[in-house]
Amino acid sequence: MTNGLRIAILGAGGLGRGMALMLSKRKGFTLVAMADSEGFAYNPAGLSLEALNPNGQIQQLHLIPEFGVKTPTAIADLMVNHGDAIDAVFMALPNLPVDFYANTIQFIAENTAFQGVMVDALKRTKAVELLLPLNDTLAENNILYITGCGATPGFLTTIAAVAAQSFVELEHIDIHFGVGVANWEQYRATIREDFLHLEGFDAERVAAMSDQEIEEELEKRNGLIELVNMEHADDIILELAGICDRSKITVGGLVDTRNAKKPTSTTVTVKGITAQGESTIHKFVVGDATTMVDNVCGPACGFMAKGVELHNYGIVGLRTSAEIMPRFSAEGLVLAASQNMIQPQAVSV
Amino acid sequence: MTNGLRIAILGAGGLGRGMALMLSKRKGFTLVAMADSEGFAYNPAGLSLEALNPNGQIQQLHLIPEFGVKTPTAIADLMVNHGDAIDAVFMALPNLPVDFYANTIQFIAENTAFQGVMVDALKRTKAVELLLPLNDTLAENNILYITGCGATPGFLTTIAAVAAQSFVELEHIDIHFGVGVANWEQYRATIREDFLHLEGFDAERVAAMSDQEIEEELEKRNGLIELVNMEHADDIILELAGICDRSKITVGGLVDTRNAKKPTSTTVTVKGITAQGESTIHKFVVGDATTMVDNVCGPACGFMAKGVELHNYGIVGLRTSAEIMPRFSAEGLVLAASQNMIQPQAVSV
């Protein structure tokens, strides 16, 4: 019997392994499984960082002694065989093609005994849109899926959702991030996804590019990728939460693929109108020493734990990270109890 | 039949009337009742700002034509007679003596048909501590009470709770506020409560002071109240949420009682240690044009609406604002479903 929530990480790249590190440093989480395209490792007593990185070297999952399984259908095999012994899943898979997440989630919901919480760190609006129709399938299978739980959308979106509470109307929400990675090869999938936002690139073209070709494109840019008006799911997530129309939300950033030091501080700027009709700005500035792992995996941890708490009260289906926060609007809400619609049981906490 | 959540405001001072304004500008809320020490006004179709402030003048509640009731036991009378037609309550009462809230809440839970959500904007640690023992009474009476939903604790505390998610350990959380009020008499109770934090003052002494004496104390200070190491409930609220020990949390501020312009910008500084062991700081700066009403009543609105959403799933009892947020730790959590402890029903959303 393990202590703490039993976590599976799907994906073993930079984010997946970052989450393994984060889980080891937060209280109440036990990493029991991890899967990649070649296999998975499962240990109900917990997979240690030492097992994942013996002697500081990255170990392929299927090669982990005793707990590794080689299989080309690793995610399916892991979730079919052990889904009923997993409390929460962090989706750290690459999302090319863009419907890969939706298909994977539908498979898990319909074909495994998993009845827990899933969170992702998806970035593109389109990717989140493709998940929305899965609400009923997830709910019917007792799964709570929270989308947009990384850095942006996720950490910075939920800061914006809280910041919005001072205002009666939002004028503009801008997220501008600085990211520095010492070596882009540690975050191949993430950097490839950033390329989708550059002029002249799309999913098909990026998927067809070799690592060498990515490297050449980076060389042309001195290792810097400047991203403007990105299609980032912060927009749909804040819109769905009733905060403002997606047209008022902009996301951009500067990624340095050659230096761990951020080329610029990450900021969230929330401009709105007060009850007295004044326009003003709240600003959040992220500490430069935080990495992508800190700002993606830390918040995703928080949403996994929150998700389990909510799931225990029967909250299932698809939610966004901003919908977990205090609500901006009460539109459409009624209190079931005082309308005599339901008679909730007294639950002691 | 009203549209939107049916809201009662207990208290008709600066915060209570500020909430009436805020509710009129957010979607999905209908102010149906307001009470002060002399009476209450109740209109199931909604109390308008015009009814509260005819010709721009503050109207005493019991004098409101048709809907006003004069009674020295206004809160009790309102909640006993109309509690079953109220979805959420904003507690905007003065808290002198410090157990007034606890006694009022216990009365409402045990003696009225109210089964909804209550939120407060309490400030002192001691006041929040006195509420904690009410959890079972509230739960047994189907009430969800969320404490610390104002500016600090509340808005700034929950910003800190989200900001903490990047870190594996918190070193220091500092909240420093600037408040400007053009005329302290609009916020008598709030300013009096600030005096409790000054050297040489306590609840008894402040309660015994006349407005004239308060005015003289303000005169000595040029209208400025500088507050250092305040006993503010941000500390207990962040500690209860598992974020860090209360000793690592400091709250201070500068209040100008003669100018609406803030004497300093309000900031939240969150210093923590990353997964890689680096120490760094996130900083949130609040827009200077926001007032106490914006930063107290806006977030409290958000918590009332969120509270109703959670109450509809059977979440009742006492919670803090930070406990509504993503969790920092998963300690003590298990997923009931996958442990076969409960079999939650599929709930479509």
Side-chain angles (χ1 to χ4, degrees):
Chain A
M1 199 57 203
T2 59
N3 290 315
L5 293 185
R6 299 165 302 175
I7 308 294
I9 301 173
L10 306 186
L15 282 186
R17 289 177 182 272
M19 181 58 95
L21 174 68
M22 185 61 67
L23 292 172
S24 74
K25 291 176 179 284
R26 288 279 188 91
K27 288 179 186 161
F29 299 93
T30 304
L31 175 64
V32 296
M34 204 161 173
D36 62 18
S37 59
E38 293 179 73
F40 68 85
Y42 173 74
N43 180 4
L47 289 168
S48 64
L49 289 178
E50 171 60 27
L52 293 170
N53 312 293
N55 313 311
Q57 300 294 308
I58 288 179
Q59 174 74 290
Q60 287 187 279
L61 299 172
H62 62 274
L63 298 177
I64 293 177
E66 194 175 348
F67 307 113
V69 176
K70 190 170 169 69
T71 156
T73 52
I75 293 169
D77 292 357
L78 169 63
M79 296 305 289
V80 165
N81 289 308
H82 305 293
D84 62 350
I86 291 167
D87 298 320
V89 171
F90 177 55
M91 301 286 282
L93 298 164
N95 193 33
L96 300 170
V98 76
D99 58 357
F100 180 61
Y101 267 56
N103 294 339
T104 303
I105 294 157
Q106 184 158 7
F107 175 85
I108 292 171
E110 292 179 345
N111 300 287
T112 80
F114 175 70
Q115 295 186 27
V117 173
M118 304 178 85
V119 310
D120 69 41
L122 282 177
K123 294 201 284 189
R124 297 181 64 199
T125 305
K126 179 74 181 161
V128 169
E129 277 172 342
L130 287 172
L131 301 188
L132 301 179
L134 294 177
N135 176 59
D136 290 353
T137 302
L138 289 161
E140 285 156 16
N141 290 285
N142 282 338
I143 294 171
L144 171 60
Y145 188 103
I146 311 176
T147 187
C149 297
T152 160
F155 181 47
L156 304 179
T157 331
T158 50
I159 286 283
V162 179
Q165 294 286 349
S166 299
F167 299 123
V168 299
E169 190 187 330
L170 278 295
E171 295 179 287
H172 185 203
I173 297 176
D174 180 64
I175 291 173
H176 192 267
F177 57 82
V179 171
V181 293
N183 178 355
W184 82 275
E185 294 184 342
Q186 275 179 25
Y187 297 96
R188 287 172 206 254
T190 301
I191 300 297
R192 280 175 174 270
E193 195 153 356
D194 285 338
F195 264 83
L196 304 184
H197 301 286
L198 295 178
E199 203 164 328
F201 293 84
D202 61 18
E204 216 170 314
R205 176 166 173 205
V206 173
M209 286 167 75
S210 66
D211 282 358
Q212 175 63 25
E213 287 168 313
I214 295 276
E215 185 61 43
E216 283 162 19
E217 285 294 336
L218 291 173
E219 181 62 33
K220 283 188 208 163
R221 292 165 167 78
N222 245 336
L224 290 171
I225 312 177
E226 181 162 12
L227 303 154
V228 183
N229 277 328
M230 299 174 77
E231 180 223 326
H232 241 235
D234 307 85
D235 62 358
I236 188 173
I237 285 174
L238 290 167
E239 181 178 285
L240 286 171
I243 291 170
C244 62
D245 188 85
R246 71 178 79 180
S247 64
K248 295 182 175 176
I249 298 156
T250 52
V251 179
L254 191 60
V255 181
D256 189 337
T257 59
R258 293 176 179 174
N259 294 292
K261 187 170 166 8
K262 293 183 188 197
T264 182
S265 290
T266 296
T267 57
V268 184
T269 309
V270 180
K271 185 179 182 190
I273 298 172
T274 70
Q276 295 294 343
E278 303 265 351
S279 173
T280 189
I281 286 172
H282 297 323
K283 190 160 184 175
F284 183 71
V285 184
V286 177
D288 284 342
T290 56
T291 65
M292 200 191 300
V293 165
D294 300 312
N295 294 322
V296 170
C297 300
C301 262
F303 281 106
M304 281 197 285
K306 187 70 190 180
V308 167
E309 182 189 333
L310 297 175
H311 189 289
N312 283 344
Y313 282 97
I315 298 180
V316 292
L318 190 107
R319 295 292 194 284
T320 71
S321 53
E323 286 170 343
I324 302 302
M325 311 307 285
R327 293 172 68 108
F328 188 69
S329 148
E331 239 179 352
L333 263 187
V334 289
L335 183 73
S338 68
Q339 309 272 356
N340 294 320
M341 286 163 58
I342 60 165
Q343 201 57 253
Q345 292 175 279
V347 178
S348 196
V349 290
Chain B
M1 197 57 202
T2 59
N3 290 316
L5 293 185
R6 297 167 303 176
I7 308 294
I9 302 173
L10 304 186
L15 280 187
R17 289 177 184 271
M19 180 58 96
L21 174 67
M22 185 60 69
L23 292 173
S24 74
K25 292 176 178 282
R26 288 279 188 91
K27 289 180 186 161
F29 299 94
T30 303
L31 175 63
V32 296
M34 204 161 172
D36 63 18
S37 59
E38 293 179 74
F40 68 84
Y42 172 74
N43 179 4
L47 289 169
S48 64
L49 289 178
E50 171 58 24
L52 292 170
N53 311 295
N55 312 311
Q57 299 294 308
I58 288 179
Q59 174 73 288
Q60 287 187 280
L61 298 173
H62 62 275
L63 297 178
I64 293 177
E66 193 176 351
F67 308 115
V69 176
K70 188 168 169 73
T71 157
T73 52
I75 292 169
D77 292 357
L78 168 64
M79 297 304 289
V80 166
N81 289 308
H82 305 293
D84 61 350
I86 291 168
D87 298 319
V89 171
F90 177 55
M91 302 285 283
L93 299 165
N95 193 34
L96 298 171
V98 76
D99 57 358
F100 179 61
Y101 267 57
N103 294 340
T104 304
I105 295 157
Q106 184 158 8
F107 174 86
I108 292 172
E110 291 178 347
N111 299 288
T112 80
F114 175 71
Q115 296 186 26
V117 173
M118 305 178 85
V119 310
D120 69 40
L122 282 176
K123 294 200 285 189
R124 297 181 63 199
T125 305
K126 179 72 181 163
V128 169
E129 276 171 345
L130 287 173
L131 301 188
L132 301 180
L134 293 177
N135 176 59
D136 291 353
T137 302
L138 289 162
E140 285 157 14
N141 291 284
N142 282 339
I143 294 170
L144 172 60
Y145 188 103
I146 312 176
T147 187
C149 298
T152 160
F155 182 46
L156 304 179
T157 331
T158 50
I159 286 283
V162 179
Q165 293 287 350
S166 299
F167 300 124
V168 299
E169 191 187 329
L170 278 295
E171 295 180 286
H172 185 204
I173 296 176
D174 180 65
I175 291 173
H176 192 268
F177 57 81
V179 171
V181 292
N183 177 356
W184 83 274
E185 293 183 342
Q186 274 180 26
Y187 297 97
R188 287 169 205 257
T190 303
I191 300 296
R192 280 175 175 272
E193 194 153 355
D194 285 339
F195 264 83
L196 303 183
H197 301 286
L198 294 178
E199 204 162 328
F201 294 84
D202 60 19
E204 218 171 315
R205 175 164 174 207
V206 173
M209 287 168 75
S210 67
D211 281 359
Q212 175 63 27
E213 287 169 311
I214 295 277
E215 185 61 42
E216 282 162 18
E217 285 293 336
L218 290 174
E219 182 61 33
K220 283 189 207 162
R221 293 167 168 78
N222 245 335
L224 291 171
I225 312 177
E226 180 162 14
L227 304 154
V228 183
N229 277 328
M230 300 174 76
E231 181 222 327
H232 241 236
D234 306 86
D235 62 357
I236 187 175
I237 286 176
L238 289 168
E239 182 177 286
L240 286 171
I243 290 171
C244 62
D245 189 85
R246 69 178 79 180
S247 64
K248 295 183 176 176
I249 297 155
T250 53
V251 179
L254 191 60
V255 180
D256 189 337
T257 59
R258 295 178 179 174
N259 294 292
K261 188 171 162 14
K262 295 184 187 197
T264 181
S265 291
T266 296
T267 56
V268 184
T269 308
V270 180
K271 185 180 183 190
I273 298 172
T274 69
Q276 295 293 343
E278 303 266 350
S279 173
T280 189
I281 286 172
H282 297 324
K283 189 160 187 175
F284 182 71
V285 185
V286 177
D288 283 343
T290 56
T291 65
M292 203 191 297
V293 165
D294 299 313
N295 294 321
V296 171
C297 300
C301 262
F303 281 106
M304 280 197 284
K306 187 70 190 181
V308 168
E309 181 189 333
L310 297 175
H311 188 289
N312 283 344
Y313 282 97
I315 299 180
V316 292
L318 190 107
R319 297 290 193 286
T320 71
S321 52
E323 286 170 342
I324 303 301
M325 311 307 285
R327 294 173 67 108
F328 188 70
S329 145
E331 238 177 354
L333 263 188
V334 289
L335 182 73
S338 69
Q339 309 272 355
N340 294 320
M341 285 164 59
I342 59 165
Q343 200 58 251
Q345 292 174 278
V347 178
S348 198
V349 289

